[in-house]
Amino acid sequence: MHQFIDFDRLQKVLSYDAMSPLLFNTGLFLILFVVFIAIYSLMRRFRNVKMVFVILFSLYFYYKSSAEYCFILLGVCVSDFVLGLLMEKAGQVVWKKKLIVWINVLVNVGMLAYFKYFNLLLDTISSFTTMKFDALDIILPAGISFFTFRSISYIVDIYRGQMQACHNFLDYTFYLTFFPPLLAGPVVRAKDMLPQVAQNPVATREMVSDGLFLIMAGLIKKVIVADYISGNFVDRVFDNPALYSGFENTVAIFGFAIQLYCDFSGYSDMAIGLALLLGYRFMDNFDSPFKAQSPTEFWHRWHISLSTWLRDYVYIPLGGNRCSKARSNFNQMATMVIGGLWHGASWMYVIWGALHGAMLVIHKTLRRWFPSTPGAATPAWRRFLNIFVTFNLVVFIFMFFRSQSMDHVGQMTGQIVNDFHLSVAPQFITGYFLIVLAMLAGYAMHFSPKSWTQWIKYQWGRMHPIVQAVVLALVLLLIIQVRQSDIVPFIYLQY
């Protein structure tokens, strides 16, 4: 028996390895998911058994990224379920319902404060005092920012009367631990997913086709564009900006913008695609954000599940725009600063969020001063100018998102201002030809008309399943040939 089973390999597959998380872009996940989906299909008539099977696989998937912290995820499931029932039992007693909301918020924000921000807080205090603190060895549980936000929205939505409490613990655990969006989103809300869970959905032929299309698109974005340009150029420049010319620093900034988009939207595409294969539909998380004509529109297109969450659970509770203009501007700034801080324990994220908040406030102020004529079509040149200005502002601000410190930002901007020589462009293109090609491919995919994507998707859907399988195999073969020897984690796994 031992000669047929490699127990060392099996132990490696089952055990936690901080250097080898189970990610969508790994061969191990592909093999395991094929086995998983085969068993899942056989269980379609046995709802509870199928749900337990998915929950166990999801917990294993999370364990491979965060080890024993999977028990924290289970603890949140229990806490939410109990608090939801208590909220329902509280009836119309407002103070009890508010108390339950505050307990949920404090538990979730408390976890974020400890795991993500405790060392940043200690470091900030020590920089203003003579006290010295040694950073604690705190391991950040993967996806904690995402499942805590989903937890908060569940309890708040019950409080607002937008949904009823879940009475089936299995259903809620399935929702919160569901592996496709678990590590890096989208931020799926209970009121959108729990009704689907109750229906015990089965993936249709169309859903399977759309899911496979999204998975292929996500892999191409992640491996062929994002990973290639980051490892071979972008990371090198951002790590040592003073070693590169102003032209190279500029290209790196634009390279990071498309890298981040392809990396994160690629993960979202794969998560949504995997969910479709299992019968569940999620909202789109990206809608060609670099085509936005204003900062406001950008946030309607970028990380949609987060931006709408911040709007509904931070901006509106602060008062939204139902107050004075000064207070509304403050609410906008506060929301974006919180959104920046959500990304990680670094003041660079706070600065990035504050800059976006300032852009939103300035845009809304200008829109009040120079209102557009209702019903009037925007001329093509004006649309192009709007997109050009918005895109470049967003890309420039991404420099703060990626840079390690303000010193690095200063070095990059200094090189761009003082050492920008366009004459190096031909040499750069020759030396980094594949990098330039990958960047152009990424931007071409992004800026191409949506009708082109719909046409390709339509043609894909018309293919016979055998032909689809061949195309999928060819895409996977291409990705295997292009990908780097070391698996590159998704950027948003650290958030």
Side-chain angles (χ1 to χ4, degrees):
M1 182 68 176
H2 284 40
Q3 62 182 340
F4 297 107
I5 300 176
D6 187 339
F7 285 100
D8 290 336
R9 177 69 63 84
L10 182 61
Q11 183 181 9
K12 185 176 181 180
V13 169
L14 295 177
S15 61
Y16 166 73
D17 182 356
M19 303 305 295
S20 301
L22 186 60
L23 306 176
F24 296 159
N25 56 329
T26 61
L28 177 60
F29 178 82
L30 175 62
I31 295 170
L32 291 177
F33 185 74
V34 169
V35 176
F36 167 83
I37 199 70
I39 298 173
Y40 180 87
S41 300
L42 295 174
M43 293 179 171
R44 65 176 62 180
R45 295 184 180 179
F46 308 99
R47 181 180 185 273
N48 289 343
V49 176
K50 182 181 72 173
M51 293 185 68
V52 170
F53 173 66
V54 176
I55 291 170
L56 291 175
F57 183 82
S58 298
L59 290 174
Y60 161 72
F61 179 78
Y62 190 71
Y63 169 79
K64 290 289 287 183
S65 299
S66 300
E68 66 274 6
Y69 286 128
C70 62
F71 291 108
I72 291 179
L73 179 60
L74 282 173
V76 175
C77 291
V78 174
S79 172
D80 289 353
F81 183 73
V82 172
L83 290 176
L85 294 179
L86 290 175
M87 179 78 75
E88 186 177 71
K89 189 176 180 180
Q92 301 302 316
V93 184
V94 177
W95 71 267
K96 288 185 178 180
K97 296 172 72 173
K98 287 186 175 181
L99 177 62
I100 292 169
V101 170
W102 275 108
I103 291 173
N104 173 263
V105 170
L106 289 174
V107 167
N108 284 288
V109 174
M111 287 194 299
L112 288 176
Y114 174 72
F115 286 110
K116 292 188 72 170
Y117 309 119
F118 193 72
N119 280 329
L120 175 66
L121 179 63
L122 291 182
D123 183 63
T124 303
I125 293 174
S126 66
S127 65
F128 287 100
T129 65
T130 57
M131 302 175 65
K132 297 298 179 183
F133 298 98
D134 293 327
L136 301 182
D137 185 19
I138 300 175
I139 299 175
L140 178 66
I144 188 171
S145 296
F146 290 92
F147 69 71
T148 51
F149 271 25
R150 291 160 69 190
S151 165
I152 292 172
S153 67
Y154 169 67
I155 297 299
V156 173
D157 285 349
I158 298 175
Y159 171 80
R160 292 174 174 174
Q162 296 177 354
M163 67 174 293
Q164 294 182 338
C166 179
H167 287 254
N168 187 320
F169 181 67
L170 208 58
D171 284 9
Y172 189 79
T173 304
F174 183 97
Y175 153 70
L176 200 63
T177 63
F178 192 48
F179 70 90
L182 182 58
L183 298 184
V187 185
V188 183
R189 302 190 195 184
K191 65 180 179 182
D192 296 324
M193 186 173 173
L194 282 176
Q196 296 185 62
V197 175
Q199 293 172 3
N200 190 28
V202 175
T204 63
R205 170 74 177 84
E206 180 185 4
M207 293 174 74
V208 171
S209 177
D210 291 349
L212 290 174
F213 182 82
L214 285 171
I215 291 170
M216 286 192 301
L219 285 170
I220 290 171
K221 287 180 183 178
K222 167 63 177 171
V223 178
I224 296 180
V225 179
D227 290 354
Y228 190 77
I229 64 177
S230 65
N232 294 293
F233 176 65
V234 172
D235 290 349
R236 299 176 187 177
V237 177
F238 271 94
D239 289 343
N240 296 284
L243 299 181
Y244 295 85
S245 68
F247 178 81
E248 290 168 313
N249 274 271
T250 302
V251 175
I253 293 171
F254 281 88
F256 175 69
I258 196 62
Q259 174 206 339
L260 180 62
Y261 167 75
C262 286
D263 191 287
F264 191 23
S265 70
Y267 184 96
S268 295
D269 286 346
M270 283 184 266
I272 295 169
L274 290 167
L276 281 170
L277 296 184
L278 302 180
Y280 296 89
R281 292 188 181 276
F282 296 157
M283 66 182 291
D284 290 336
N285 206 26
F286 289 86
D287 181 19
S288 303
F290 298 144
K291 293 181 182 179
Q293 297 188 50
S294 69
T296 302
E297 186 183 355
F298 173 79
W299 282 102
H300 290 163
R301 292 170 172 263
W302 177 275
H303 202 348
I304 299 169
S305 63
L306 174 64
S307 59
T308 53
W309 194 98
L310 291 171
R311 178 198 65 197
D312 294 343
Y313 302 102
V314 179
Y315 179 65
I316 291 177
L318 285 175
N321 57 6
R322 306 181 312 276
C323 49
S324 67
K325 290 182 177 61
R327 177 61 187 274
S328 177
N329 291 341
F330 170 81
N331 295 340
Q332 189 78 77
M333 282 292 298
T335 300
M336 295 310 299
V337 167
I338 291 172
L341 188 59
W342 174 87
H343 283 81
S346 168
W347 290 114
M348 297 304 294
Y349 293 124
V350 175
I351 294 169
W352 173 78
L355 289 172
H356 268 284
M359 275 210 307
L360 290 169
V361 169
I362 292 171
H363 172 247
K364 290 184 177 180
T365 302
L366 291 174
R367 199 165 56 180
R368 286 196 301 267
W369 290 352
F370 307 102
S372 58
T373 304
T378 305
W381 70 267
R382 181 72 175 272
R383 291 198 301 271
F384 175 81
L385 182 62
N386 290 342
I387 292 172
F388 180 82
V389 172
T390 302
F391 170 63
N392 281 278
L393 284 172
V394 167
V395 169
F396 171 75
I397 293 176
F398 270 139
M399 178 174 56
F400 294 85
F401 187 94
R402 174 61 179 82
S403 295
Q404 299 174 16
S405 66
M406 286 300 295
D407 287 340
H408 276 203
V409 172
Q411 290 177 25
M412 294 194 84
T413 53
Q415 291 296 93
I416 292 170
V417 172
N418 301 317
D419 189 30
F420 189 92
H421 301 293
L422 196 58
S423 58
V424 306
Q427 182 181 352
F428 174 84
I429 294 172
T430 302
Y432 289 99
F433 180 73
L434 292 179
I435 297 294
V436 174
L437 199 62
M439 285 179 57
L440 290 176
Y443 277 114
M445 286 189 294
H446 177 276
F447 281 104
S448 62
K450 186 176 289 187
S451 59
W452 292 11
T453 304
Q454 294 299 328
W455 183 84
I456 296 173
K457 187 177 179 181
Y458 173 73
Q459 296 301 324
W460 162 262
R462 292 179 60 193
M463 292 179 183
H464 190 278
I466 295 178
V467 179
Q468 287 185 336
V470 172
V471 173
L472 177 61
L474 291 174
V475 170
L476 291 176
L477 182 62
L478 173 64
I479 288 169
I480 291 171
Q481 295 299 318
V482 172
R483 76 178 179 88
Q484 301 182 45
S485 56
D486 296 329
I487 297 298
V488 181
F490 291 89
I491 293 175
Y492 265 68
L493 289 184
Q494 61 186 301
Y495 306 139

